[in-house]
Amino acid sequence: MNTPQSMMIGWASLLVAAGGSYILAKREIESRRKMQREAGKRDTEKKEWYDRLGDPNANNPLLNKTSTTSPLEPSAADKPPDKT
């Protein structure tokens, strides 16, 4: 059976590992963003999600330029039949 001491050691080691992983990932992401900003591949200003939708340079899978229908509108197969 788990003793209180072994439970505390387990939880403490989990917290230390999670905290360390978070700090390392945050440093990596910040350094990558800094490199992109210096190379001119990343905007320096923050944009809202609705501003990014209209940006032609944004890599947005929802805005498919080859499709004639909007991804937010239901297709003809999804519409209920007309009751006439």
Side-chain angles (χ1 to χ4, degrees):
M1 184 149 248
N2 291 339
T3 63
Q5 182 181 6
S6 68
M7 294 283 291
M8 291 300 291
I9 291 172
W11 278 104
S13 62
L14 178 66
L15 289 174
V16 168
S21 298
Y22 173 78
I23 290 171
L24 291 175
K26 187 173 180 178
R27 285 183 187 166
E28 172 66 27
I29 291 170
E30 286 177 358
S31 68
R32 190 175 343 132
R33 286 180 180 167
K34 183 178 178 183
M35 287 176 20
Q36 289 175 349
R37 200 176 311 116
E38 290 172 353
K41 295 181 181 179
R42 185 175 187 88
D43 290 337
T44 56
E45 65 185 38
K46 291 271 188 178
K47 292 184 178 179
E48 294 293 332
W49 66 270
Y50 48 82
D51 291 333
R52 290 191 306 255
L53 284 177
D55 189 5
N57 296 328
N59 187 11
N60 190 347
L62 291 178
L63 295 177
N64 187 0
K65 302 295 182 197
T66 59
S67 177
T68 57
T69 61
S70 170
L72 301 177
E73 295 177 3
S75 66
D78 294 336
K79 294 180 182 176
D82 292 333
K83 294 181 180 178
T84 56

